[in-house]
């Protein structure tokens, strides 16, 4: 079922949603070809057509590791960009947000980036006069190699989504490892490619005692995007987004997975249910 509580248990693992603030983004861009008359019933827009989006990060405590999935919007946006997104002028840092949930940020020893768009990895590093340094110095960082290569292609369509200070300094200092599809970052925790939003975005699955959590990332940024054809205008490969959703969400239903979204502001954890009309919904 859908739950708003920020913590959940999964076998031996403890899961925590850390919402690194809420930003407001163009609703039309988030729903692509879906008419506003339909999407605005799910997420109402403000007078500038913006809808609220969480920078959702998840912490998995396995007993052995403290794993952070995605690092949110960070502090690299300038004042104008922050104002446009209705963000407070001075951000709360992610380590402080993690601390607020009763988790010692120093204990984070693994950081996973589902992909390298700024809204998923801006909190990886902190800018100092000496350059970008890791925000989680004890952690090993993991990201998809194909995604990093794409970031450096600087394609005009999406180059604006990439900020090299979020990953290149970490690769140079040996903090970040670039990985392939299926990489197991810790026992039971895997990064799995789900093409669509872009070529190499990863969902993250965590399995303990036969139960599975899946961070869907931008495969379904909010519960409203579970319907396979409701695809953000940002997605580079919308037909693949549909195929990927059919594949991953069918598994989530069959295997009774608990799921988390990258940007939903209401739901922290939810099971997915099959629906005769729209195929998949957040379970009631
Ligand atoms: Zn995103």
């Amino acid at each position: 079922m859908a739950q708003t509580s920020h913590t959940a248990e999964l076998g031996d693992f403890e899961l925590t949603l850390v919402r690194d603030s809420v930003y407001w983004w163009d609703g039309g861009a988030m729903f692509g070809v879906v008419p506003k008359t339909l999407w605005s019933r799910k997420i109402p827009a403000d007078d500038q057509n913006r809808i609220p989006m969480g920078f959702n990060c998840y912490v998995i405590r396995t007993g052995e590791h403290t794993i952070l999935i995605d690092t949110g919007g960070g502090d690299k946006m300038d004042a104008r960009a922050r104002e446009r997104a209705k963000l407070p002028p001075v951000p709360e840092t992610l380590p402080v947000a993690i601390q607020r949930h009763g988790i010692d940020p120093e204990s984070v020893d693994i950081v996973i980036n589902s992909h390298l768009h700024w809204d998923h990895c801006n909190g990886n590093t902190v800018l100092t006069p000496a350059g970008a340094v890791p925000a989680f110095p004890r952690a090993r960082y993991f990201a998809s190699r194909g995604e990093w290569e794409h970031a450096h292609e600087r394609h005009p369509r999406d180059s604006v989504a990439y900020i090299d200070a979020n990953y290149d300094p970490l690769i140079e200092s040996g903090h970040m490892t670039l990985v392939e599809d299926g990489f197991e970052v810790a026992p039971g925790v895997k990064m799995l490619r789900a093409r669509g939003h872009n070529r190499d975005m990863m969902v993250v699955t965590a399995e303990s005692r036969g139960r599975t959590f899946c961070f869907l990332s931008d495969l379904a940024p909010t519960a409203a995007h579970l319907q396979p054809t409701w695809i953000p205008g940002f997605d580079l490969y919308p037909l693949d987004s549909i195929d990927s959703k059919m594949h991953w969400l069918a598994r989530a239903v069959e295997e009774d997975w608990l799921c988390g979204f990258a940007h939903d502001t209401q739901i922290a954890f939810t099971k997915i249910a099959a629906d005769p009309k729209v195929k998949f919904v957040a379970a009631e």
Side-chain angles (χ1 to χ4, degrees), residues 64 68 74 149 153 176 178 229 235 241 250 254:
E64 207 180 324
L68 172 63
E149 287 169 354
E153 281 162 23
M176 178 177 273
L178 298 172
T229 55
D235 281 23
S241 297
E254 272 160 35

Side-chain angles (χ1 to χ4, degrees), residues 217-231:
S217 189
D218 282 337
L219 177 68
T222 73
H225 294 87
L226 289 171
Q227 187 166 344
T229 55
W230 283 36
I231 295 166

Side-chain angles (χ1 to χ4, degrees), residues 64-80:
E64 207 180 324
H65 296 285
T66 301
I67 301 169
L68 172 63
I69 306 175
D70 281 356
T71 60
D75 59 1
K76 296 185 184 79
M77 291 164 88
D78 63 26
R80 258 192 73 210

Side-chain angles (χ1 to χ4, degrees), residues 92-211:
E92 178 185 58
T93 68
L94 184 56
V96 169
I98 290 172
Q99 186 91 57
R100 200 157 39 74
H101 286 82
I103 300 168
D104 177 6
E106 298 269 311
S107 68
V108 173
D109 60 348
I110 292 175
V111 175
I112 298 171
N113 293 143
S114 65
H115 57 305
L116 296 174
H117 288 165
W118 67 271
D119 56 321
H120 295 258
C121 66
N122 246 2
N124 277 4
T125 57
V126 177
L127 297 179
T128 71
V133 299
F136 300 93
R138 282 195 54 234
R140 290 185 64 198
Y141 290 70
F142 297 93
S144 152
R145 174 173 297 280
E147 168 69 346
W148 176 79
E149 287 169 354
H150 175 73
H152 280 282
E153 281 162 23
R154 288 288 183 269
H155 195 283
R157 164 72 194 255
D158 63 354
S159 60
V160 66
Y162 294 101
I163 299 172
D164 290 344
N166 290 327
Y167 35 85
D168 283 349
L170 298 175
I171 293 170
E172 277 154 33
S173 64
H175 283 88
M176 178 177 273
T177 307
L178 298 172
V179 303
E180 311 295 332
D181 180 19
F183 184 78
E184 189 167 27
V185 295
V189 182
K190 286 186 187 153
M191 297 169 68
L192 299 160
R193 185 167 170 238
R195 185 183 154 102
H197 181 58
N198 60 19
R199 191 184 62 198
D200 293 288
M201 194 202 81
M202 304 279 201
V203 296
V204 180
T205 58
E207 194 186 333
S208 176
R209 292 187 184 273
R211 295 189 61 208

Side-chain angles (χ1 to χ4, degrees), residues 50 75-91:
R50 295 172 296 189
D75 59 1
K76 296 185 184 79
M77 291 164 88
D78 63 26
R80 258 192 73 210
R82 295 190 70 80
E83 200 186 317
R84 262 202 309 266
K86 285 206 254 187
L87 282 163
V90 180

